[in-house]
Amino acid sequence: MKFHPRRTIRALLPPLAAGLALTALPAQTAQAASTLTNGGFESDGTGSAAPAGWSEYGDTGASYTESGGHSGGYRLSHYSSSAYKVETYQYLSGLTNGNYTLTAWVRSSGGQKAAYLALRNCGSAEQRTDLPISSNGWIRIVTSVKVTNNQCTISVNSDANAGNWINVDDLAFTSGTTGTSIHGADISSLAKSEAKGGVYRTGSGTAGDALSILKSSGMNYARLKVWVNPADGFNDKAHVLATAKRVKAQGMKLLVDFHYSDTWADPGAQTKPAAWAGHTYSQLKTDVYNHTYDVLNALKAQGTTADMVQVGNEINGGMLWSEGSTDHWSQLAGLINSGYDAVKAVNSSTVVALHLAKGGDKAGTEWWFDNAVASGVKFDAIGLSYYGYWHGPLSDFQTTLDDAASRYGKPVFVAETAYPFRLDSDDSLTNQIDTTGELVSGYPATVAGQTKWMNDVASIVEAVPNGRGLGVFYWEATWTAVNGNGWDPTDAGSGNGWENQALFGYDDKALSSMTWFSHR
């Protein structure tokens, strides 16, 4: 992520009011089977009121099959021109106890009080996954549960306002489990914020340690960027070491994000550190190795070994320009591998990730990693930045993420994402996202909209096949508006255009959107 005082405004998209209240519908006894029947809704055709094998409860006229399936000819839809509550469900019995996963392809208009898949009456706690908002592309979601009583009810639920709709198709109920291991956030801004007087409070208003507050909501992984010799003296080796102690004291894991610059590195800028400016390619390889080794070895020596490392930040165009640009793949490969070797020399089990932006760009991601693999680049995991207001729809993001995981056989994660909880500024700098027209359709700039965005992104990562979806890092959870903690390390008076996307409000209180950290 890079900070600019200027913004790009997207075409106006009318936001839908999103609610998060959930309605519990009573369990109904239906015909019993031990395998899911008619998961593709192909048995009856258009207009079937109650699809074969399925039962309905509530405003049953709002639940029906119609043409336009994900793979076959038909799908299940929930829709009514007036407000409705309906459940379409199937009761399974005679199951062998164990872990099961429900997979489904879905679309949704958004705007419902609730729209979700559920697995309930399975002997353990009910499990739910909300439907992401997608009016065009189909999205695959999963819900997993432990069956302990030989039975389970598979349920599709809507508590909707007039005109809201969902499509559901190709359900499968199979053995296995899902979940994500990384529920993280970048907190690189924290040390400077605190040094400049920043305060963090619990949801009830009690001042406290930001990391402790985040941990209490379920955060388990912190991401820290490191610059070589930044003008403001923050995000350097010393500050990373100090913050890492706090991270590990909370029982969290640590991702160290090397920018190999004195300032922001991203697809538009990969400026060499001033100290390396006149160096040859051969010298730069040594610089990368020594700097990477130095920071990581110091972390290890103080008992805070990095669990994951990014060799470069958003390196779509390469790094350490111009020698390490993607115009010189063999040289870029040499620089990345120099960083990889340094990481492994400090600790062989530290995961090395390569990080690209544009998480909805399947073709661009393939081009980059195909070249990397052909050039002998070494890596353990793939991280993508995915900002929905810049990087395309959720369905494109899922396609890109799934393709990267399968094509390269590596685990994948979201290295950065975020969403605004309001549009106005808390300082003098215009926010990066500050108009309704820039928002993702269906996700309002509210705490509820921020919460839903994060849960839906996490659900897509959870659904990556073969357990290759590691999880999500929220970008800059603690970057509230604090005088002196602006985006430009060379300008103490620069503002922060991101405070409306932090996870603490303008009153410094923890936002309830932190609940996303507890996503399955």
Side-chain angles (χ1 to χ4, degrees), residues 37 94 158 197 242 275 302 389 493 519:
T37 301
S158 293
Q302 71 172 15
Y389 36 71
H519 192 277

Side-chain angles (χ1 to χ4, degrees), residues 309-312 315 336 352-356 368-369 372 377-384 413:
V309 167
Q310 282 180 218
V311 175
I315 54 175
I336 293 173
V352 177
L354 299 184
H355 171 208
L356 300 187
W368 198 97
F369 277 100
V377 172
K378 296 180 282 191
F379 62 101
D380 304 322
I382 294 171
L384 298 176
F413 64 97

Side-chain angles (χ1 to χ4, degrees), residues 226 228 237 258 260 273 276 279 282-299 311 320 334-343 345-346:
V226 57
V228 177
K237 174 185 169 184
F258 284 91
Y260 301 114
W276 308 354
H279 290 190
S282 179
Q283 288 173 310
L284 288 171
K285 283 200 295 182
T286 302
D287 291 333
V288 168
Y289 186 96
N290 289 344
H291 171 61
T292 306
Y293 186 94
D294 178 52
V295 173
L296 296 178
N297 195 51
L299 284 165
V311 175
L320 293 165
L335 292 168
I336 293 173
N337 286 343
S338 189
Y340 180 97
D341 290 344
V343 175
V346 173

Side-chain angles (χ1 to χ4, degrees), residues 66-141:
E66 61 181 340
S67 60
H70 165 255
S71 61
Y74 302 98
R75 67 195 184 206
L76 173 71
S77 293
H78 286 180
Y79 167 81
S80 177
S81 58
S82 56
Y84 62 94
K85 294 182 184 180
V86 70
E87 175 189 21
T88 309
Y89 65 96
Q90 191 168 146
Y91 168 68
L92 302 182
S93 66
L95 294 170
T96 301
N97 286 338
N99 293 310
Y100 289 84
T101 294
L102 175 69
T103 303
W105 288 87
V106 302
R107 298 190 298 197
S108 173
S109 67
Q112 300 92 344
K113 298 183 181 72
Y116 60 93
L117 303 181
L119 296 173
R120 50 190 186 78
N121 305 323
C122 310
S124 59
E126 177 178 330
Q127 297 294 314
R128 293 180 177 178
T129 301
D130 291 337
L131 271 62
I133 298 168
S134 177
S135 59
N136 293 311
W138 290 89
I139 293 173
R140 187 185 62 258
I141 59 174

Side-chain angles (χ1 to χ4, degrees), residues 10-41:
R10 276 185 40 182
L12 188 66
L13 294 170
L16 299 170
L20 296 175
L22 297 174
T23 301
L25 296 168
Q28 299 291 303
T29 302
Q31 61 193 59
S34 60
T35 56
L36 182 67
T37 301
N38 193 23
F41 303 100

